[in-house]
Amino acid sequence: EEEYFLGRVYRPSGAVGDPWALVSGRRVQAHGGEVHEKGMIARPIPDWLGKLLKSVRETCGDDAFPANVQLNHALVNEYAPGGGIMPHQDGPLYFPAVAIASLGASA
């Protein structure tokens, strides 16, 4: 399953142009929408990512993601070996919950 998702991240089917943006020294893909000061600008989520979001919902259960909460946005961050996410506080668009899936390395 991990190989499947990594394959989609690095070879997204149907992608037009380069899906990666450079943000703070790391490469990032945004799926499902663009965070804007006036709210989320919705964009379609690729089928492969929909499968991962479904798996996250099933694994975490209704306590983390109630049925009325739509998993509608995903950021794919690529970190160099030894790097990773720095302490931070997400904005209100990420309320009430955030999930992290680590691929290609231990979490």
Side-chain angles (χ1 to χ4, degrees), residues 89-107:
Q89 184 172 1
D90 288 322
L93 286 177
Y94 295 95
F95 182 81
V98 173
I100 297 173
S102 181
L103 304 173
S106 59

Side-chain angles (χ1 to χ4, degrees), residues 64-80:
F65 298 107
N68 66 331
V69 173
Q70 182 182 1
L71 304 181
N72 61 359
H73 180 69
L75 295 176
V76 177
N77 292 282
E78 179 187 68
Y79 295 102

